[in-house]
Amino acid sequence: MEFKYIIYEKRDGVATITLNRPEALNAFSKEVVEEVLQALEDVRNDVNLRVVVLTGAGEKAFSAGADIKAMKGMNALKARELSLMGEKLCLALENLEKPVIAAINGYALGGGLEVAMACDLRIASENARMGQTEINIGLIPGWGGTQRLTRLIGATKAKELIYTGKIIDAKTAEQLGLVNMVVPAEKFRETVHQFAVELAQKAPVALKVAKALINKGSEISLDAALALEREGFGVVASTKDLQEGVSAFIEKRKPVFKGE
Ligand code: DAK
């Protein structure tokens, strides 16, 4: 596959998608979004790929958000298109039946943070900086930020970040529960890859079902969510991978899961 605005690599069962417009701090243009969507489609179809890492090229940014320069003179129709584009990308990440890790290597601002929040896990480099900065240009988050940020860290802190547009450091983001862990900058890419490889060795069907249950369960009543969990448990319990996991435990060896 040929890409101009992203780098797409496959190694050890991990697909790494690197946003590659460092000169614009990896801002999301229409072209960047289209290429990421194409790569995600490839991941979906490749059974050998079990985990995705989304990150930014260079040391400065994961992504500084939607392309502000493309917003100049934007009319209602263009704004709607921009909104749809981001929504589509965030939903593709959220609905992919494989875990997606946002590896936040620098700034994750505006739409950049919103895309990171649509991923399952967020690992931040110690020099990462995050914020819903839209208010500073007279906007509100438009790629799900008002909803996903609130669900991740609660309304009190979400309102503070969205109303002020302030940029927080990686440690603060970790304390808020916005990122899973903070990693030293010099070991960042290697640590993220290692973490992703470990995840890629877990049982794929169990990961897929757990992701769907956690995502869907937060939108429905506890009763309905528990019913879904029961069904999901039934599906996972019927896999060959469960038998492999049980055998490996008894034989005191590492399980080899095939996603069957
Ligand atoms: N878009 C386009 N270019 C960007 C950019 C962006 N978001 N952010 C940075 N760049 C470009 C800069 O213009 C500069 O390019 P040149 O001037 O050299 O050509 C280059 O990247 C390097 O940036 P700086 O020179 O500014 O670098 P500094 O280290 O001085 O500052 C910074 C880094 C991250 C603090 C600063 O660049 C900055 O504040 N950037 C803007 C961050 C931001 O506010 N992001 C949120 C964007 S708003 C919508 C739905 C969703 C959205 C919009 C509409 N609808 C439903 C309609 C989403 C909106 C957003 O994401």
Side-chain angles (χ1 to χ4, degrees):
M1 294 176 102
E2 287 282 305
F3 293 112
K4 197 167 162 203
Y5 300 103
I6 64 167
I7 302 165
Y8 181 46
E9 297 160 299
K10 309 178 185 188
R11 183 159 61 98
D12 309 323
V14 177
T16 301
I17 302 172
T18 306
L19 307 169
N20 192 23
R21 281 183 83 202
E23 70 288 353
L25 302 187
N26 303 318
F28 283 102
S29 62
K30 188 165 172 277
E31 292 76 17
V32 173
V33 172
E34 275 164 5
E35 291 195 0
V36 176
L37 287 171
Q38 266 182 53
L40 289 175
E41 189 55 22
D42 184 69
V43 174
R44 199 171 71 83
N45 293 322
D46 187 337
V47 288
N48 297 316
L49 294 174
R50 295 187 175 182
V51 173
V52 180
V53 171
L54 180 65
T55 192
E59 298 312 312
K60 227 175 147 185
F62 170 79
S63 169
D67 194 321
I68 299 178
K69 290 173 186 165
M71 287 181 208
K72 196 160 165 46
M74 187 168 59
N75 62 20
L77 279 179
K78 280 271 172 242
R80 186 174 177 279
E81 204 177 290
L82 180 66
S83 178
L84 265 178
M85 179 179 101
E87 248 175 58
K88 206 168 153 192
L89 174 60
C90 291
L91 287 175
L93 292 163
E94 221 161 49
N95 292 332
L96 186 77
E97 294 183 323
K98 302 177 184 186
V100 185
I101 301 166
I104 306 176
N105 52 306
Y107 287 115
L109 303 178
L113 181 56
E114 291 175 291
V115 168
M117 289 193 294
C119 299
D120 298 292
L121 301 166
R122 282 156 293 285
I123 303 180
S125 155
E126 63 191 348
N127 56 22
R129 299 284 179 272
M130 285 153 263
Q132 290 299 164
T133 49
E134 288 88 346
I135 200 87
N136 298 331
I137 56 165
L139 262 179
I140 59 164
W143 290 354
T146 58
Q147 304 312 305
R148 289 194 183 92
L149 184 63
T150 307
R151 283 165 204 216
L152 284 173
I153 68 170
T156 304
K157 283 293 175 183
K159 283 180 179 172
E160 182 183 327
L161 291 185
I162 290 170
Y163 293 178
T164 64
K166 74 176 172 190
I167 296 177
I168 57 172
D169 62 20
K171 262 278 158 259
T172 309
E174 189 184 29
Q175 283 157 4
L176 289 174
L178 184 53
V179 302
N180 296 80
M181 65 187 94
V182 180
V183 173
E186 65 279 8
K187 292 189 190 149
F188 183 62
R189 301 211 185 255
E190 179 196 324
T191 309
V192 170
H193 186 72
Q194 209 38 54
F195 182 88
V197 170
E198 276 171 34
L199 219 51
Q201 288 164 2
K202 304 283 181 203
V205 179
L207 285 174
K208 162 166 104 172
V209 173
K211 175 168 178 170
L213 288 172
I214 295 168
N215 285 354
K216 291 288 159 223
S218 60
E219 293 164 12
I220 56 181
S221 72
L222 181 62
D223 243 20
L226 291 175
L228 268 187
E229 187 187 68
R230 212 175 303 129
E231 301 308 318
F233 191 85
V235 170
V236 176
S238 70
T239 60
K240 287 186 189 160
D241 280 347
L242 171 66
Q243 296 313 315
E244 164 62 9
V246 171
S247 301
F249 176 77
I250 294 167
E251 294 159 20
K252 299 188 188 302
R253 61 174 173 82
K254 208 169 176 265
V256 179
F257 296 118
K258 295 186 174 154
E260 294 170 2

